[in-house]
Amino acid sequence: MLNYLWVGMIFIGILTAAFTGRMEYVTNGAIDSAKEAVNTIIIMVGVLSMWTGLMKIAEKSGLIDYLSNKLKPFLKFLFPDVPPNHKAMKYIATNVIANVLGLGWAATPAGLMAMKELQKLNPEKDRASRAMCMFMVFNMSSLQLVSVNIIAYRSSFNSANPSEIIGPGLFATLVSTAAGIIVIKIIEMRREKCRY
Amino acid sequence: MQILIVISNLMLPLVFVLILSYGISKGVKVYDAFIEGAKDGMRCAVDIMPTLIGLMMAVGILRASGALDIFSRIISPITDLIHYPSELVPLTLMRLVSSSASTGILLDLFKQYGPDSGIGRLVSVMMSCTETVFYTMSVYFMSVKITKTRYTLPGALIANFAGVLASVFICKIIWGQIR
């Protein structure tokens, strides 16, 4: 996928430049951007490491497990088909908390394990179960407390106040998550009659 | 809605106090743990460096050639109807497909307009409430060999679309006009 996307972007760019006569800009654009990428990363390392360092404390002190447990009643509402003490619930909780705290690398393994456990409960193995649809939509509505990456990128482009977007970002992500849950719940209700 | 700005300023200090006091109360060597975790962050940044170089370069070529501007101009009659800046259409579409490619476009927009411009703020908010739907779905469903994804895709797209609308709405209320 990314292979075609990448080649596509470069070829379309060079082709357009041939028509618009901006070939020398393209050369400089490529060189400048490559340079810029390294500068960006060097500055963002600081913010990123600050966050991962903080989260390591949260992990070691058991705060993340504690929060996952607190999530149970809410997950029961989202996933009525999954037994509350099933392994799937634990992985879903870990995935949600990791996403909320902006720990993408911890979220994905837990999310894949959750899918594996949900598949065990699924009567039709090639068809997504109700719980899977809800889990995926919830996961992709990207509920997040602080978008650390965005703040890091903003600071590397010399923003006067990189973190000013936390509050508005939280608002927007709550809207998207709520919209996702409501839509799925409505679809589920309408299909209640013809279950599975 | 100014409360959201207050939240912005309070969030990080709050997270610091919460995590540190919980850590201390549980007898964790907080400083050592921080250093250990910070190393993960370094590794993470080094890992994404090659991807970012490749994709920023591709976006840089697109931008310099004028292709992005031409695309924006073609699509602007449609986006103007819903008061959406046409410059953001490439990012909005790419966001659904690839996280690294959309980061490349995001950084290009920061470079072009500045992170504190109306556009810079809007894309910052937008990026925090949207997800690479197509990529994530294929990874998760493929891992358990599910081919019939039922209403997952429409559900996820609606959630993302609601997020984009909410971003435009909240940015206009807090910071005024986007352009």
Side-chain angles (χ1 to χ4, degrees):
Chain A
M1 178 66 153
L2 204 51
N3 283 314
Y4 294 111
L5 215 60
W6 192 62
V7 172
M9 287 200 283
I10 294 177
F11 279 12
I12 289 173
I14 292 177
L15 212 67
T16 316
F19 284 110
T20 51
R22 297 173 62 100
M23 216 45 110
E24 82 261 31
Y25 295 108
V26 164
T27 312
N28 291 331
I31 295 171
D32 272 356
S33 299
K35 206 171 67 187
E36 201 112 358
V38 177
N39 286 337
T40 307
I41 299 257
I42 287 176
I43 299 175
M44 85 171 276
V45 168
V47 183
L48 199 63
S49 299
M50 178 191 88
W51 190 257
T52 51
L54 209 55
M55 286 308 145
K56 194 58 145 194
I57 302 175
E59 188 192 317
K60 286 207 161 171
S61 59
L63 185 61
I64 292 182
D65 293 335
Y66 173 79
L67 291 175
S68 309
N69 268 326
K70 286 278 161 202
L71 216 57
K72 264 191 182 156
F74 177 60
L75 292 182
K76 246 195 232 166
F77 160 74
L78 286 187
F79 305 101
D81 298 345
V82 182
N85 288 321
H86 195 271
K87 261 193 203 158
M89 278 300 200
K90 208 189 111 214
Y91 289 124
I92 292 175
T94 311
N95 173 267
V96 171
I97 292 293
N99 270 329
V100 166
L101 296 178
L103 305 166
W105 59 94
T108 309
L112 292 175
M113 287 307 285
M115 283 302 266
K116 207 171 138 193
E117 293 299 324
L118 289 176
Q119 180 70 318
K120 286 181 188 164
L121 297 169
N122 187 6
E124 273 178 82
K125 297 298 177 198
D126 64 333
R127 188 164 178 266
S129 64
R130 274 199 340 170
M132 282 175 172
C133 293
M134 179 57 99
F135 175 58
M136 287 308 297
V137 171
F138 188 76
N139 182 297
M140 290 187 288
S141 70
S142 58
L143 189 59
Q144 202 178 354
L145 200 60
V146 179
S147 342
V148 191
N149 286 335
I150 303 294
I151 295 173
Y153 291 136
R154 287 170 60 82
S155 80
S156 68
F157 278 84
N158 301 319
S159 165
N161 186 0
S163 63
E164 70 182 348
I165 52 100
I166 295 179
L170 196 59
F171 167 82
T173 191
L174 282 173
V175 170
S176 71
T177 302
I181 293 176
I182 292 169
V183 165
I184 295 296
K185 279 284 174 197
I186 289 175
I187 296 176
E188 279 178 3
M189 272 190 310
R190 296 185 62 182
R191 297 200 175 186
E192 194 72 354
K193 291 166 217 157
C194 43
R195 256 193 107 172
Y196 297 116
Chain B
M1 282 301 170
Q2 292 306 313
I3 181 84
L4 292 177
I5 296 295
V6 179
I7 292 179
S8 296
N9 294 331
L10 281 182
M11 184 66 87
L12 282 181
L14 210 67
V15 171
F16 269 99
V17 171
L18 247 158
I19 290 183
L20 290 182
S21 45
Y22 194 85
I24 289 278
S25 75
K26 294 282 169 188
V28 175
K29 286 187 181 142
V30 285
Y31 186 65
D32 296 326
F34 179 87
I35 300 296
E36 195 191 324
K39 261 185 214 156
D40 293 342
M42 300 280 263
R43 220 168 295 134
C44 193
V46 172
D47 281 348
I48 57 173
M49 179 118 75
T51 349
L52 209 58
I53 293 175
L55 286 157
M56 274 190 81
M57 187 196 78
V59 177
I61 291 174
L62 262 185
R63 160 77 59 202
S65 71
L68 283 178
D69 296 327
I70 295 173
F71 180 71
S72 296
R73 228 170 295 145
I74 293 173
I75 202 126
S76 63
I78 304 169
T79 50
D80 283 353
L81 281 180
I82 51 167
H83 300 285
Y84 190 68
S86 58
E87 298 93 316
L88 302 189
V89 175
L91 176 71
T92 319
L93 296 178
M94 194 61 93
R95 178 66 179 150
L96 295 171
V97 183
S98 157
S99 140
S100 37
S102 57
T103 302
I105 300 184
L106 170 84
L107 297 180
D108 182 70
L109 287 171
F110 279 171
K111 193 165 118 188
Q112 192 86 349
Y113 300 96
D116 295 331
S117 64
I119 295 230
R121 281 168 172 152
L122 175 57
V123 289
S124 307
V125 175
M126 229 173 70
M127 286 292 275
S128 41
C129 69
T130 46
E131 182 59 70
T132 49
V133 171
F134 292 100
Y135 171 78
T136 312
M137 264 185 73
S138 59
V139 169
Y140 276 72
F141 278 128
M142 249 156 45
S143 77
V144 287
K145 299 192 180 66
I146 278 183
T147 47
K148 293 173 193 151
T149 60
R150 297 170 74 197
Y151 45 86
T152 308
L153 183 61
L157 289 179
I158 290 173
N160 273 268
F161 186 64
V164 172
L165 287 185
S167 309
V168 175
F169 170 78
I170 203 68
C171 284
K172 274 197 173 159
I173 284 195
I174 294 180
W175 292 299
Q177 274 308 311
I178 285 158
R179 267 192 303 204

